[in-house]
Amino acid sequence: MDIKLNPAQSQFYNALFNSKGMIRNDAYSEYAFYGAYSCGKSVVCCLMTMLCCMNYPKTTGVILRHTYKELMDSILNIINEFYPPETFQYHYHKTTRTLQFHNGSTLDLRAYDNADKIKGNTYTIAYLSQCEELSENTFVTVLTRLRKQFPHGKSVLIHEGNPAATPHIKKRIIDTTDDELKYRDIYFIKGNMYHNKANLPPKYIDGLKKNLSEIDQSKYIDGNWDKVSDMVYNALRPDHVIEPIRLESHVYRCCAFDHGVTSPSAIVWGCKDAHDNIYIYSEWYKERASLDDIKTAALRFGRMPMICDTSIKNTQNRGNDFGSVWGDLQQKGLHLVEALKANKQAAILRVNALLHQNKLFFFKNCKTTYEEHQLYAYKKDSEDVIKKRDHTVDAVQYLISYLSSISTTGPIDLFAAKPRGPTLKERTERHEPKEIHGGYIT
Protein backbone atom coordinates (compact mmCIF):
# COMPACT_ATOMS: atom_id res chain seq x y z
CA MET A 1 0.00 0.00 0.00
CA ASP A 2 1.63 3.23 -1.19
CA ILE A 3 -0.47 6.25 -0.18
CA LYS A 4 1.25 9.59 0.32
CA LEU A 5 -0.59 11.75 2.83
CA ASN A 6 -0.37 15.53 3.03
CA PRO A 7 0.76 17.16 6.34
CA ALA A 8 -2.75 17.54 7.81
CA GLN A 9 -3.75 14.02 6.75
CA SER A 10 -0.58 12.58 8.29
CA GLN A 11 -1.21 14.36 11.57
CA PHE A 12 -4.77 13.05 11.69
CA TYR A 13 -3.76 9.50 10.73
CA ASN A 14 -0.91 9.30 13.23
CA ALA A 15 -3.21 10.32 16.06
CA LEU A 16 -5.02 6.97 15.65
CA PHE A 17 -2.39 4.55 14.28
CA ASN A 18 1.18 3.58 15.09
CA SER A 19 3.85 2.96 12.44
CA LYS A 20 2.49 -0.57 11.81
CA GLY A 21 -1.02 0.62 11.04
CA MET A 22 -2.42 -0.64 14.34
CA ILE A 23 -4.46 1.44 16.77
CA ARG A 24 -2.33 3.22 19.36
CA ASN A 25 -2.78 2.33 23.02
CA ASP A 26 -3.41 6.01 23.81
CA ALA A 27 -5.85 6.52 20.92
CA TYR A 28 -8.88 8.78 21.30
CA SER A 29 -12.47 7.62 20.90
CA GLU A 30 -13.48 10.48 18.58
CA TYR A 31 -11.64 12.07 15.65
CA ALA A 32 -12.83 15.28 13.97
CA PHE A 33 -11.29 16.80 10.83
CA TYR A 34 -12.92 20.04 9.64
CA GLY A 35 -11.68 22.57 7.14
CA ALA A 36 -11.47 23.72 3.55
CA TYR A 37 -12.75 22.08 0.42
CA SER A 38 -10.32 19.63 -1.23
CA CYS A 39 -7.95 19.40 1.71
CA GLY A 40 -8.08 15.58 1.77
CA LYS A 41 -10.52 14.98 4.63
CA SER A 42 -12.56 12.24 2.98
CA VAL A 43 -9.53 10.37 1.63
CA VAL A 44 -7.81 10.00 5.01
CA CYS A 45 -11.05 9.29 6.89
CA CYS A 46 -11.84 6.48 4.44
CA LEU A 47 -8.31 5.13 4.86
CA MET A 48 -8.56 5.08 8.66
CA THR A 49 -11.95 3.37 8.57
CA MET A 50 -10.81 0.78 6.02
CA LEU A 51 -7.62 -0.03 7.95
CA CYS A 52 -9.57 -0.60 11.15
CA CYS A 53 -11.76 -3.10 9.33
CA MET A 54 -8.85 -4.79 7.54
CA ASN A 55 -6.51 -5.07 10.54
CA TYR A 56 -9.06 -6.05 13.19
CA PRO A 57 -11.17 -9.17 12.43
CA LYS A 58 -14.91 -9.12 13.06
CA THR A 59 -15.02 -5.31 13.12
CA THR A 60 -18.41 -3.85 12.27
CA GLY A 61 -18.20 -0.41 10.67
CA VAL A 62 -20.41 2.11 8.93
CA ILE A 63 -19.80 5.11 6.67
CA LEU A 64 -22.63 7.59 6.49
CA ARG A 65 -23.40 10.54 4.25
CA HIS A 66 -26.55 12.57 3.76
CA THR A 67 -27.93 10.74 0.71
CA TYR A 68 -27.09 7.52 -1.10
CA LYS A 69 -26.36 9.47 -4.29
CA GLU A 70 -23.69 11.55 -2.51
CA LEU A 71 -22.38 8.42 -0.86
CA MET A 72 -21.98 6.63 -4.19
CA ASP A 73 -20.60 9.69 -6.02
CA SER A 74 -18.00 10.56 -3.40
CA ILE A 75 -17.17 7.90 -0.81
CA LEU A 76 -17.51 4.84 -3.05
CA ASN A 77 -15.46 6.55 -5.76
CA ILE A 78 -12.70 7.27 -3.22
CA ILE A 79 -12.75 3.66 -2.04
CA ASN A 80 -12.57 2.34 -5.61
CA GLU A 81 -9.74 4.70 -6.60
CA PHE A 82 -7.51 4.57 -3.52
CA TYR A 83 -8.44 1.39 -1.65
CA PRO A 84 -9.04 -1.45 -4.15
CA PRO A 85 -10.40 -4.85 -3.08
CA GLU A 86 -7.21 -6.76 -3.85
CA THR A 87 -5.16 -4.53 -1.52
CA PHE A 88 -7.65 -4.11 1.30
CA GLN A 89 -9.00 -7.66 1.04
CA TYR A 90 -12.75 -7.13 0.73
CA HIS A 91 -15.64 -7.75 -1.62
CA TYR A 92 -18.30 -5.10 -2.24
CA HIS A 93 -21.90 -6.34 -2.18
CA LYS A 94 -23.79 -3.90 -4.36
CA THR A 95 -27.29 -4.97 -3.30
CA THR A 96 -26.65 -4.44 0.42
CA ARG A 97 -24.06 -1.65 -0.04
CA THR A 98 -21.67 -3.49 2.27
CA LEU A 99 -17.93 -4.18 2.10
CA GLN A 100 -17.28 -7.73 3.31
CA PHE A 101 -13.65 -8.17 4.40
CA HIS A 102 -11.85 -11.52 4.21
CA ASN A 103 -11.28 -11.46 8.00
CA GLY A 104 -15.01 -11.30 8.77
CA SER A 105 -15.21 -7.51 9.18
CA THR A 106 -18.06 -5.61 7.52
CA LEU A 107 -18.40 -1.97 6.51
CA ASP A 108 -21.90 -0.67 5.70
CA LEU A 109 -22.44 2.35 3.43
CA ARG A 110 -25.53 4.20 4.60
CA ALA A 111 -27.38 7.48 4.15
CA TYR A 112 -28.21 9.46 7.28
CA ASP A 113 -31.19 11.38 5.92
CA ASN A 114 -33.11 8.87 8.04
CA ALA A 115 -31.50 7.91 11.35
CA ASP A 116 -33.81 4.88 11.62
CA LYS A 117 -31.68 3.13 8.96
CA ILE A 118 -28.93 2.39 11.48
CA LYS A 119 -30.94 1.86 14.68
CA GLY A 120 -30.95 -1.91 14.38
CA ASN A 121 -27.15 -2.29 14.26
CA THR A 122 -24.22 -1.93 16.62
CA TYR A 123 -20.80 -0.81 15.43
CA THR A 124 -17.12 -0.71 16.39
CA ILE A 125 -16.33 2.25 14.13
CA ALA A 126 -18.40 4.91 12.36
CA TYR A 127 -17.34 7.56 9.87
CA LEU A 128 -19.69 10.52 9.24
CA SER A 129 -18.94 12.32 5.97
CA GLN A 130 -19.93 16.00 5.64
CA CYS A 131 -21.08 15.90 9.23
CA GLU A 132 -22.21 19.54 9.17
CA GLU A 133 -25.20 18.37 7.11
CA LEU A 134 -26.61 15.98 9.71
CA SER A 135 -28.94 16.72 12.60
CA GLU A 136 -27.99 16.47 16.23
CA ASN A 137 -30.53 13.67 16.64
CA THR A 138 -28.75 11.57 13.99
CA PHE A 139 -25.35 12.34 15.52
CA VAL A 140 -26.56 11.14 18.92
CA THR A 141 -28.14 8.05 17.31
CA VAL A 142 -24.75 7.11 15.83
CA LEU A 143 -23.09 7.55 19.23
CA THR A 144 -25.58 5.17 20.82
CA ARG A 145 -24.83 2.49 18.17
CA LEU A 146 -21.07 2.45 18.94
CA ARG A 147 -21.22 -0.37 21.48
CA LYS A 148 -18.34 -2.61 20.40
CA GLN A 149 -14.68 -1.96 21.22
CA PHE A 150 -11.24 -2.33 19.69
CA PRO A 151 -8.38 -3.86 21.73
CA HIS A 152 -7.50 -0.46 23.22
CA GLY A 153 -10.89 -0.57 24.97
CA LYS A 154 -12.81 1.98 22.90
CA SER A 155 -14.97 2.27 19.85
CA VAL A 156 -13.99 4.93 17.28
CA LEU A 157 -16.06 7.76 15.79
CA ILE A 158 -14.59 9.71 12.85
CA HIS A 159 -16.30 12.75 11.36
CA GLU A 160 -15.34 15.51 8.95
CA GLY A 161 -16.87 18.50 7.19
CA ASN A 162 -16.59 22.10 6.10
CA PRO A 163 -16.94 25.27 8.21
CA ALA A 164 -20.65 25.83 8.79
CA ALA A 165 -23.01 27.33 11.32
CA THR A 166 -24.45 23.94 12.32
CA PRO A 167 -25.05 24.64 16.03
CA HIS A 168 -24.34 21.21 17.54
CA ILE A 169 -21.08 20.80 15.55
CA LYS A 170 -19.83 24.29 16.43
CA LYS A 171 -20.66 23.71 20.07
CA ARG A 172 -19.03 20.27 20.17
CA ILE A 173 -15.85 21.01 18.22
CA ILE A 174 -15.23 24.70 17.56
CA ASP A 175 -16.66 26.70 20.46
CA THR A 176 -14.81 24.71 23.09
CA THR A 177 -11.40 24.66 24.74
CA ASP A 178 -8.54 22.21 24.26
CA ASP A 179 -9.05 20.99 27.82
CA GLU A 180 -12.72 20.28 27.12
CA LEU A 181 -11.83 18.36 23.96
CA LYS A 182 -9.28 16.29 25.87
CA TYR A 183 -11.76 15.62 28.68
CA ARG A 184 -14.32 14.36 26.16
CA ASP A 185 -11.63 12.27 24.40
CA ILE A 186 -11.91 14.15 21.08
CA TYR A 187 -8.99 14.71 18.71
CA PHE A 188 -9.63 17.69 16.41
CA ILE A 189 -7.63 19.32 13.63
CA LYS A 190 -8.36 21.98 11.00
CA GLY A 191 -7.28 21.68 7.39
CA ASN A 192 -6.80 24.23 4.62
CA MET A 193 -6.55 23.82 0.87
CA TYR A 194 -2.83 24.66 0.82
CA HIS A 195 -2.12 21.45 2.79
CA ASN A 196 -3.28 19.52 -0.26
CA LYS A 197 -1.89 21.80 -2.99
CA ALA A 198 0.41 19.10 -4.38
CA ASN A 199 -2.64 16.94 -5.21
CA LEU A 200 -4.67 19.72 -6.87
CA PRO A 201 -4.56 20.95 -10.50
CA PRO A 202 -2.18 23.86 -11.20
CA LYS A 203 -3.72 27.29 -10.50
CA TYR A 204 -6.81 25.60 -8.99
CA ILE A 205 -6.65 27.76 -5.85
CA ASP A 206 -6.00 30.93 -7.86
CA GLY A 207 -9.07 30.22 -9.96
CA LEU A 208 -11.25 29.81 -6.88
CA LYS A 209 -10.02 33.07 -5.42
CA LYS A 210 -11.23 34.92 -8.51
CA ASN A 211 -14.74 33.50 -8.15
CA LEU A 212 -15.36 33.31 -4.39
CA SER A 213 -16.28 36.11 -2.03
CA GLU A 214 -13.91 37.02 0.78
CA ILE A 215 -16.05 35.12 3.28
CA ASP A 216 -16.21 32.01 1.10
CA GLN A 217 -12.43 32.14 0.53
CA SER A 218 -11.93 32.21 4.28
CA LYS A 219 -14.20 29.19 4.76
CA TYR A 220 -13.54 27.03 1.73
CA ILE A 221 -9.88 27.77 0.94
CA ASP A 222 -8.41 28.69 4.33
CA GLY A 223 -10.76 26.47 6.34
CA ASN A 224 -11.45 29.21 8.87
CA TRP A 225 -14.43 29.34 11.17
CA ASP A 226 -14.02 32.93 12.30
CA LYS A 227 -16.22 34.25 9.46
CA VAL A 228 -18.90 31.61 9.91
CA SER A 229 -21.68 33.67 11.42
CA ASP A 230 -24.95 32.42 12.85
CA MET A 231 -26.36 32.29 9.31
CA VAL A 232 -28.66 29.27 9.08
CA TYR A 233 -28.30 28.55 5.36
CA ASN A 234 -24.52 28.46 5.32
CA ALA A 235 -24.42 26.79 1.89
CA LEU A 236 -26.43 29.56 0.19
CA ARG A 237 -24.38 31.27 -2.55
CA PRO A 238 -25.06 33.94 -5.17
CA ASP A 239 -24.99 31.30 -7.93
CA HIS A 240 -28.13 29.75 -6.43
CA VAL A 241 -29.94 32.75 -7.95
CA ILE A 242 -30.54 32.19 -11.66
CA GLU A 243 -32.24 33.87 -14.58
CA PRO A 244 -35.76 32.50 -15.12
CA ILE A 245 -35.76 29.45 -17.35
CA ARG A 246 -38.52 27.71 -19.28
CA LEU A 247 -40.20 25.15 -17.05
CA GLU A 248 -40.98 21.98 -18.96
CA SER A 249 -44.45 20.48 -18.85
CA HIS A 250 -43.30 17.37 -16.96
CA VAL A 251 -42.14 19.23 -13.82
CA TYR A 252 -44.24 18.91 -10.67
CA ARG A 253 -45.53 22.30 -9.54
CA CYS A 254 -47.00 23.45 -6.26
CA CYS A 255 -46.97 26.46 -3.97
CA ALA A 256 -46.63 26.97 -0.23
CA PHE A 257 -48.31 29.50 2.04
CA ASP A 258 -47.22 31.09 5.31
CA HIS A 259 -50.00 33.04 6.98
CA GLY A 260 -49.57 36.22 8.97
CA VAL A 261 -52.34 37.88 10.95
CA THR A 262 -50.61 41.18 11.73
CA SER A 263 -47.34 40.22 10.02
CA PRO A 264 -47.03 39.64 6.25
CA SER A 265 -48.43 36.58 4.50
CA ALA A 266 -46.31 34.91 1.84
CA ILE A 267 -46.73 32.43 -1.00
CA VAL A 268 -43.85 30.88 -2.92
CA TRP A 269 -44.18 28.77 -6.05
CA GLY A 270 -41.79 25.94 -6.76
CA CYS A 271 -41.34 22.92 -8.96
CA LYS A 272 -39.29 19.72 -9.08
CA ASP A 273 -37.86 18.28 -12.28
CA ALA A 274 -36.86 14.74 -13.26
CA HIS A 275 -33.31 15.33 -11.95
CA ASP A 276 -34.61 16.29 -8.48
CA ASN A 277 -33.72 19.95 -8.97
CA ILE A 278 -36.09 22.32 -7.20
CA TYR A 279 -36.76 25.80 -8.57
CA ILE A 280 -38.42 28.59 -6.60
CA TYR A 281 -39.89 30.49 -9.51
CA SER A 282 -42.29 33.08 -8.07
CA GLU A 283 -43.31 34.79 -4.84
CA TRP A 284 -46.08 36.88 -3.32
CA TYR A 285 -45.78 38.93 -0.14
CA LYS A 286 -48.36 41.18 1.50
CA GLU A 287 -49.05 42.64 4.94
CA ARG A 288 -52.51 42.21 6.49
CA ALA A 289 -53.69 40.23 3.48
CA SER A 290 -57.39 39.43 3.22
CA LEU A 291 -58.77 36.04 2.21
CA ASP A 292 -59.60 37.43 -1.24
CA ASP A 293 -56.02 38.72 -1.57
CA ILE A 294 -54.72 35.25 -0.72
CA LYS A 295 -57.14 33.52 -3.10
CA THR A 296 -56.30 35.82 -6.01
CA ALA A 297 -52.57 35.40 -5.45
CA ALA A 298 -52.76 31.61 -4.99
CA LEU A 299 -54.51 31.19 -8.36
CA ARG A 300 -51.91 33.26 -10.23
CA PHE A 301 -50.63 30.17 -12.08
CA GLY A 302 -53.83 28.16 -11.85
CA ARG A 303 -55.15 25.84 -9.16
CA MET A 304 -52.41 23.63 -7.72
CA PRO A 305 -51.56 22.05 -4.35
CA MET A 306 -50.87 24.78 -1.75
CA ILE A 307 -48.85 23.48 1.20
CA CYS A 308 -49.83 25.12 4.49
CA ASP A 309 -48.95 24.84 8.14
CA THR A 310 -51.85 23.20 9.98
CA SER A 311 -51.81 26.00 12.56
CA ILE A 312 -54.14 27.97 10.27
CA LYS A 313 -56.82 25.40 11.07
CA ASN A 314 -56.96 27.06 14.49
CA THR A 315 -56.57 30.66 13.27
CA GLN A 316 -59.70 32.77 12.91
CA ASN A 317 -59.97 35.59 10.43
CA ARG A 318 -60.03 39.18 11.62
CA GLY A 319 -63.57 40.17 12.46
CA ASN A 320 -64.89 36.59 12.39
CA ASP A 321 -66.27 34.82 15.43
CA PHE A 322 -66.28 31.45 13.68
CA GLY A 323 -64.42 29.42 11.11
CA SER A 324 -60.72 29.22 10.42
CA VAL A 325 -58.35 30.48 7.75
CA TRP A 326 -57.95 26.88 6.54
CA GLY A 327 -61.70 26.28 6.22
CA ASP A 328 -62.40 29.63 4.61
CA LEU A 329 -59.65 29.20 2.01
CA GLN A 330 -60.97 25.74 1.17
CA GLN A 331 -64.43 27.22 0.68
CA LYS A 332 -62.90 29.65 -1.79
CA GLY A 333 -61.76 26.70 -3.88
CA LEU A 334 -58.09 26.42 -2.98
CA HIS A 335 -56.43 22.98 -2.89
CA LEU A 336 -54.81 22.96 0.57
CA VAL A 337 -52.33 20.29 1.64
CA GLU A 338 -51.04 19.87 5.19
CA ALA A 339 -47.33 20.56 5.57
CA LEU A 340 -45.37 17.51 6.71
CA LYS A 341 -44.75 17.45 10.44
CA ALA A 342 -41.03 17.89 11.08
CA ASN A 343 -38.99 19.72 13.64
CA LYS A 344 -37.34 22.97 12.61
CA GLN A 345 -33.79 21.57 12.50
CA ALA A 346 -34.86 18.72 10.19
CA ALA A 347 -36.49 21.21 7.82
CA ILE A 348 -33.39 23.43 7.87
CA LEU A 349 -31.06 20.50 7.18
CA ARG A 350 -33.20 19.40 4.25
CA VAL A 351 -32.90 22.85 2.63
CA ASN A 352 -29.19 23.14 3.41
CA ALA A 353 -28.55 19.70 1.93
CA LEU A 354 -30.17 20.76 -1.35
CA LEU A 355 -28.03 23.90 -1.39
CA HIS A 356 -24.89 21.83 -0.76
CA GLN A 357 -25.87 19.52 -3.63
CA ASN A 358 -26.70 22.44 -5.98
CA LYS A 359 -30.26 21.16 -6.24
CA LEU A 360 -32.13 24.28 -5.08
CA PHE A 361 -32.34 27.47 -7.15
CA PHE A 362 -34.15 30.78 -6.87
CA PHE A 363 -35.33 32.67 -9.94
CA LYS A 364 -33.96 36.20 -10.04
CA ASN A 365 -37.44 37.70 -9.60
CA CYS A 366 -37.77 36.07 -6.13
CA LYS A 367 -35.81 38.85 -4.42
CA THR A 368 -37.66 38.82 -1.09
CA THR A 369 -37.35 35.04 -0.79
CA TYR A 370 -33.61 35.06 -1.43
CA GLU A 371 -33.01 38.01 0.92
CA GLU A 372 -34.94 36.36 3.75
CA HIS A 373 -32.90 33.19 3.31
CA GLN A 374 -29.71 35.24 3.49
CA LEU A 375 -30.84 36.93 6.73
CA TYR A 376 -32.18 33.77 8.38
CA ALA A 377 -30.04 33.32 11.49
CA TYR A 378 -29.73 31.45 14.77
CA LYS A 379 -30.00 33.14 18.12
CA LYS A 380 -26.62 33.54 19.75
CA ASP A 381 -25.37 30.27 21.29
CA SER A 382 -28.67 28.55 20.50
CA GLU A 383 -30.26 26.16 18.00
CA ASP A 384 -33.37 28.36 17.94
CA VAL A 385 -33.81 30.62 14.93
CA ILE A 386 -34.64 34.31 15.11
CA LYS A 387 -38.32 34.68 14.23
CA LYS A 388 -38.02 37.77 12.09
CA ARG A 389 -38.54 38.19 8.35
CA ASP A 390 -38.91 34.45 7.88
CA HIS A 391 -42.26 34.19 6.08
CA THR A 392 -40.95 33.02 2.70
CA VAL A 393 -38.36 30.92 4.56
CA ASP A 394 -41.11 28.98 6.34
CA ALA A 395 -43.04 28.63 3.08
CA VAL A 396 -39.99 27.21 1.27
CA GLN A 397 -39.47 24.72 4.10
CA TYR A 398 -43.09 23.53 3.74
CA LEU A 399 -42.68 23.26 -0.03
CA ILE A 400 -39.39 21.34 0.05
CA SER A 401 -40.59 18.93 2.75
CA TYR A 402 -43.61 18.17 0.56
CA LEU A 403 -41.60 17.83 -2.66
CA SER A 404 -39.16 15.42 -0.99
CA SER A 405 -41.86 12.75 -1.23
CA ILE A 406 -42.72 13.51 -4.87
CA SER A 407 -41.14 11.53 -7.73
CA THR A 408 -41.00 13.28 -11.10
CA THR A 409 -40.46 11.61 -14.45
CA GLY A 410 -39.16 13.22 -17.61
CA PRO A 411 -39.78 12.64 -21.33
CA ILE A 412 -36.98 10.06 -21.48
CA ASP A 413 -38.96 7.85 -19.10
CA LEU A 414 -41.54 7.32 -21.85
CA PHE A 415 -38.98 5.09 -23.57
CA ALA A 416 -38.02 3.11 -20.47
CA ALA A 417 -38.80 -0.59 -20.46
CA LYS A 418 -42.04 -1.29 -18.65
CA PRO A 419 -42.57 -4.43 -16.59
CA ARG A 420 -44.45 -7.16 -18.43
CA GLY A 421 -47.95 -7.74 -17.17
CA PRO A 422 -49.23 -11.23 -16.32
CA THR A 423 -50.31 -13.45 -19.21
CA LEU A 424 -53.80 -14.93 -19.42
CA LYS A 425 -52.41 -18.29 -18.28
CA GLU A 426 -50.70 -16.66 -15.25
CA ARG A 427 -53.86 -14.78 -14.29
CA THR A 428 -55.91 -17.96 -14.59
CA GLU A 429 -53.51 -20.07 -12.52
CA ARG A 430 -53.39 -17.62 -9.64
CA HIS A 431 -57.15 -16.93 -9.67
CA GLU A 432 -58.80 -18.19 -6.52
CA PRO A 433 -61.78 -20.46 -7.36
CA LYS A 434 -65.15 -19.18 -6.21
CA GLU A 435 -67.74 -21.23 -4.35
CA ILE A 436 -69.69 -23.70 -6.43
CA HIS A 437 -73.35 -24.41 -5.70
CA GLY A 438 -75.21 -27.04 -7.69
CA GLY A 439 -72.44 -27.24 -10.25
CA TYR A 440 -72.51 -23.53 -11.06
CA ILE A 441 -69.90 -20.91 -10.16
CA THR A 442 -71.49 -18.06 -8.23
Side-chain angles (χ1 to χ4, degrees):
M1 182 177 65
D2 185 21
I3 300 172
K4 188 174 181 180
L5 302 178
N6 67 42
Q9 289 174 323
S10 296
Q11 181 183 341
F12 197 59
Y13 173 91
N14 290 328
L16 178 60
F17 296 109
N18 60 26
S19 59
K20 296 181 180 179
M22 305 302 287
I23 294 176
R24 298 161 53 117
N25 292 330
D26 60 349
Y28 293 77
S29 60
E30 184 173 337
Y31 290 80
F33 189 174
Y34 286 80
Y37 285 167
S38 303
C39 67
K41 302 182 297 292
S42 300
V43 171
V44 71
C45 289
C46 279
L47 171 62
M48 293 162 68
T49 307
M50 298 281 288
L51 276 180
C52 284
C53 291
M54 185 176 75
N55 292 342
Y56 292 91
K58 305 294 184 182
T59 292
T60 53
V62 61
I63 299 179
L64 298 105
R65 188 156 180 181
H66 191 269
T67 66
Y68 278 118
K69 185 179 187 307
E70 291 175 294
L71 193 65
M72 298 299 108
D73 291 346
S74 60
I75 299 300
L76 191 58
N77 281 343
I78 289 173
I79 291 174
N80 288 335
E81 180 178 356
F82 294 99
Y83 315 120
E86 57 273 14
T87 303
F88 280 77
Q89 303 169 26
Y90 68 85
H91 174 73
Y92 177 58
H93 294 276
K94 191 173 182 179
T95 54
T96 60
R97 296 188 177 101
T98 299
L99 277 67
Q100 180 73 53
F101 289 79
H102 298 173
N103 63 1
S105 295
T106 57
L107 181 59
D108 297 332
L109 305 183
R110 298 289 181 264
Y112 55 61
D113 51 357
N114 182 352
D116 292 337
K117 294 176 181 176
I118 62 170
K119 283 185 176 178
N121 299 320
T122 57
Y123 296 104
T124 326
I125 183 169
Y127 160 35
L128 309 180
S129 177
Q130 296 297 128
C131 193
E132 79 276 12
E133 296 180 12
L134 90 166
S135 68
E136 184 173 17
N137 176 61
T138 305
F139 191 93
V140 172
T141 299
V142 173
L143 285 176
T144 63
R145 309 320 298 173
L146 287 168
R147 299 181 185 177
K148 300 179 180 179
Q149 297 180 343
F150 288 107
H152 73 305
K154 301 173 184 177
S155 56
V156 173
L157 173 65
I158 300 172
H159 51 103
E160 47 86 357
N162 304 118
T166 311
H168 72 94
I169 294 298
K170 283 193 70 183
K171 183 178 179 181
R172 185 178 188 84
I173 303 299
I174 305 302
D175 300 333
T176 188
T177 66
D178 290 342
D179 288 340
E180 288 174 325
L181 288 172
K182 186 175 181 180
Y183 174 76
R184 290 156 67 183
D185 207 28
I186 300 174
Y187 182 82
F188 166 57
I189 68 167
K190 298 178 183 178
N192 64 58
M193 201 175 285
Y194 297 99
H195 288 146
N196 204 37
K197 189 174 181 179
N199 297 317
L200 298 175
K203 299 184 179 180
Y204 176 76
I205 297 177
D206 292 338
L208 285 179
K209 284 184 174 181
K210 294 177 182 178
N211 292 285
L212 295 179
S213 67
E214 182 182 345
I215 291 177
D216 284 345
Q217 286 184 44
S218 178
K219 290 192 296 184
Y220 302 133
I221 295 178
D222 301 323
N224 290 332
W225 290 74
D226 53 356
K227 293 194 175 181
V228 175
S229 66
D230 293 322
M231 178 181 177
V232 172
Y233 292 131
N234 49 74
L236 183 65
R237 301 187 307 275
D239 56 302
H240 286 122
V241 178
I242 62 173
E243 294 288 344
I245 60 175
R246 181 171 177 263
L247 300 176
E248 301 295 338
S249 59
H250 69 271
V251 302
Y252 185 93
R253 306 177 194 225
C254 61
C255 61
F257 171 57
D258 184 67
H259 180 252
V261 179
T262 57
S263 58
S265 292
I267 303 176
V268 297
W269 284 263
C271 65
K272 183 177 183 180
D273 68 14
H275 304 289
D276 293 332
N277 296 309
I278 293 178
Y279 299 94
I280 307 301
Y281 63 86
S282 192
E283 66 181 17
W284 174 82
Y285 201 88
K286 186 170 183 178
E287 292 190 19
R288 303 183 71 83
S290 68
L291 288 175
D292 287 332
D293 291 333
I294 297 168
K295 174 190 173 183
T296 301
L299 296 176
R300 177 188 296 176
F301 299 103
R303 190 172 185 267
M304 64 178 67
M306 186 161 80
I307 322 305
C308 310
D309 184 18
T310 55
S311 64
I312 65 172
K313 289 186 174 183
N314 304 315
T315 305
Q316 292 185 344
N317 293 307
R318 297 190 305 275
N320 279 0
D321 294 326
F322 58 90
S324 67
V325 172
W326 180 283
D328 291 340
L329 288 177
Q330 279 190 321
Q331 287 184 358
K332 288 183 177 291
L334 300 185
H335 177 195
L336 305 188
V337 178
E338 292 185 11
L340 298 177
K341 293 294 184 184
N343 64 53
K344 181 60 69 174
Q345 277 303 312
I348 288 171
L349 285 166
R350 188 176 284 116
V351 175
N352 245 338
L354 290 172
L355 292 170
H356 275 288
Q357 299 163 35
N358 268 352
K359 290 290 187 181
L360 175 60
F361 302 94
F362 302 86
F363 278 16
K364 202 170 184 177
N365 52 285
C366 299
K367 293 181 179 178
T368 300
T369 305
Y370 181 69
E371 287 173 2
E372 287 196 349
H373 280 70
Q374 281 184 306
L375 297 171
Y376 198 43
Y378 291 109
K379 295 177 182 177
K380 188 172 178 61
D381 300 323
S382 172
E383 290 198 8
D384 295 327
V385 294
I386 298 172
K387 293 297 293 178
K388 183 180 180 181
R389 287 202 63 188
D390 62 349
H391 310 291
T392 62
V393 171
D394 286 345
V396 168
Q397 289 174 2
Y398 304 154
L399 183 140
I400 287 176
S401 295
Y402 174 74
L403 286 176
S404 66
S405 62
I406 299 294
S407 296
T408 308
T409 57
I412 192 66
D413 295 298
L414 295 174
F415 301 96
K418 294 179 173 56
R420 178 183 65 81
T423 63
L424 177 61
K425 181 175 183 292
E426 289 170 338
R427 286 200 301 268
T428 304
E429 288 178 345
R430 75 185 185 194
H431 177 69
E432 294 183 4
K434 297 181 180 179
E435 293 184 10
I436 300 178
H437 295 281
Y440 294 93
I441 300 178
T442 59

